């Protein structure tokens, strides 16, 4: 039978020259990533008024359908009639411009397959991915080169054997070594995801340093690809008009007197 396992005692030099510098490097890299991202952010280009009018007109119909019950019948019928006629006549369409002399529509330019706005969005996405990916790659190579095989610290709470492979990555497999001991490369990953609350405390909620997981998973909303077909607002307006025609409208204040009297009569009885 094997005897009791002797407790390990780390050299204080490992704490002073490996653990603390590595933690400081990880914290400083996150701060540097945040400020570099701030410098690389391009100023958003203003949306043309005609495009904004199309979007807001479609949103107005959706809001009317979702909040129709709070409007009295006269107001609801008036707004629905106005929007329906505007959707049919194309009042809010940007290509529905007529000349001053005749009623013919002005010819519109074909869509540019290399839209500068879309290209700028793709370039911003690539730059943000590079700012988040390159420093982590360099740091991982640096740690594997100079601190490979180091046993840095012991976590202040016991862990099961299932955590051994995660916390002692890069070390020689020692079956008798407690699972709470942490290697250098494992400490790197712990700092990568564990410093997010520190970044939020120092830099605020909206910062580029604490969004490492989102950078590795990719952007939540991809920019429009160059050459992609444009949105057909004429079809969307026609569909929205049909949705307005079939709205199941019921005013929230209809019969409120009877409901209030029934409520008080039930409570008094």
């Amino acid at each position: 039978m094997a005897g009791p396992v002797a407790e390990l005692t780390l050299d204080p030099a490992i704490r002073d020259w490996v653990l603390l510098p590595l933690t400081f490097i990880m914290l400083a890299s996150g701060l540097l990533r945040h400020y570099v991202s701030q410098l690389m952010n391009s100023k958003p280009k203003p949306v043309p008024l005609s495009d904004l009018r199309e979007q807001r007109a479609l949103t107005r119909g959706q809001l009317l359908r979702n909040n129709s019950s709070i409007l009295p019948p006269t107001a609801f019928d008036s707004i629905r009639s106005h929007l329906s006629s505007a959707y049919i006549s194309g009042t809010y369409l940007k290509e529905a411009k007529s000349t001053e002399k005749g009623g013919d529509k002005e010819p519109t330019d074909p869509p540019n397959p290399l839209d500068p706005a879309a290209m700028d969005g793709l370039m911003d996405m690539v730059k943000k991915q590079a700012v988040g990916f390159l420093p982590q790659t360099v740091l991982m190579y640096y740690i594997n080169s100079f601190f490979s095989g180091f046993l840095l610290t012991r976590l202040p709470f016991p862990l099961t054997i299932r955590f051994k492979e995660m916390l002692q990555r890069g070390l020689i497999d020692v079956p008798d070594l407690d699972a709470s001991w942490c290697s250098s490369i494992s400490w790197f990953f712990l700092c990568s995801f564990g410093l997010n609350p520190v970044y939020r405390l120092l830099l605020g909620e909206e910062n580029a340093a604490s969004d490492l997981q989102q950078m590795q998973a990719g952007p939540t909303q991809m920019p429009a690809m160059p050459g992609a077909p444009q949105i057909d607002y004429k079809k969307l307006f026609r569909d929205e008009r049909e949705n307005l025609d079939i709205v199941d409208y019921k005013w929230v204040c209809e019969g409120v007197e009877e409901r209030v009297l029934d409520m008080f009569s039930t409570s008094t009885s």
Side-chain angles (χ1 to χ4, degrees), residues 239-265:
D239 296 340
E240 187 61 31
R241 176 187 172 275
E242 295 176 357
N243 293 333
L244 288 176
D245 291 339
I246 61 176
V247 169
D248 186 13
Y249 171 74
K250 185 178 180 181
W251 191 26
V252 70
C253 293
E254 184 177 355
V256 65
E257 299 88 353
E258 291 78 5
R259 286 182 300 191
V260 171
L261 291 176
D262 293 341
M263 181 180 63
F264 279 104
S265 63

Side-chain angles (χ1 to χ4, degrees), residues 94-95 109-112 115 227-233:
K94 62 179 179 182
E95 63 268 13
D109 296 331
N112 185 6
D115 187 7
Q230 293 183 342
I231 301 176
D232 188 2
Y233 277 98

Side-chain angles (χ1 to χ4, degrees), residues 158-171:
L159 295 172
T160 61
I161 196 64
R162 294 180 179 272
F163 292 90
K164 187 177 181 65
E165 183 179 357
M166 180 180 67
L167 291 178
Q168 297 176 8
R169 188 178 300 272
L171 297 177

Side-chain angles (χ1 to χ4, degrees), residues 5 22 24-25 27 31 59 62 72 82-83 88 95 119 123 129 158 166 181 186 193 209 219 235 239 259 264:
V5 180
L22 181 58
F24 175 77
I25 290 173
L27 179 62
L31 298 176
T59 304
Q62 297 171 354
H82 168 72
L83 288 178
I88 295 174
E95 63 268 13
M119 294 297 294
M123 288 302 299
Q129 291 291 317
M166 180 180 67
W181 288 100
S186 298
F193 298 98
K235 182 179 181 299
D239 296 340
R259 286 182 300 191
F264 279 104

Side-chain angles (χ1 to χ4, degrees), residues 16-200:
D16 299 336
W17 296 101
V18 181
L19 178 62
L20 295 180
L22 181 58
T23 306
F24 175 77
I25 290 173
M26 292 299 301
L27 179 62
S29 66
L31 298 176
L32 181 63
R33 183 170 64 247
H34 169 74
Y35 290 114
V36 171
S37 299
Q38 294 292 325
L39 293 176
M40 296 179 65
N41 283 339
S42 58
K43 186 177 181 180
K45 294 185 177 180
V47 181
L49 184 60
S50 56
D51 295 345
L52 190 62
R53 183 178 61 176
E54 286 181 333
Q55 300 172 9
R56 295 296 185 266
L58 186 63
T59 304
R60 188 179 179 188
Q62 297 171 354
L63 291 175
L64 178 63
R65 288 190 289 108
N66 297 331
N67 304 280
S68 59
S69 60
I70 64 176
L71 295 174
T74 54
F76 174 74
D77 293 337
S78 175
I79 299 175
R80 179 170 64 174
S81 176
H82 168 72
L83 288 178
S84 298
S85 61
Y87 290 156
I88 295 174
S89 61
T91 304
Y92 299 115
L93 294 175
K94 62 179 179 182
E95 63 268 13
K97 298 178 181 179
S98 58
T99 59
E100 295 179 0
K101 296 182 179 180
D104 298 333
K105 296 180 180 179
E106 293 180 350
T108 56
D109 296 331
N112 185 6
L114 298 178
D115 187 7
M119 294 297 294
D120 291 343
L122 289 176
M123 288 302 299
D124 288 342
M125 183 191 70
V126 172
K127 288 188 293 185
K128 290 179 180 179
Q129 291 291 317
V131 171
F133 176 74
L134 290 179
Q136 299 300 320
T137 305
V138 173
L139 283 175
M140 187 178 297
Y141 175 78
Y142 168 76
I143 293 172
N144 281 327
S145 300
F146 296 96
F147 301 120
S148 179
F150 273 89
L151 197 64
L152 292 189
T153 184
R154 186 175 186 178
L155 300 181
F157 46 84
L159 295 172
T160 61
I161 196 64
R162 294 180 179 272
F163 292 90
K164 187 177 181 65
E165 183 179 357
M166 180 180 67
L167 291 178
Q168 297 176 8
R169 188 178 300 272
L171 297 177
I172 300 176
D173 187 15
V174 180
D176 296 333
L177 186 62
D178 192 88
S180 58
W181 288 100
C182 183
S183 65
S184 57
I185 190 65
S186 298
W187 185 253
F188 164 77
F189 286 109
L190 289 177
C191 290
S192 298
F193 298 98
L195 288 176
N196 290 343
V198 180
Y199 293 140
R200 295 191 184 98

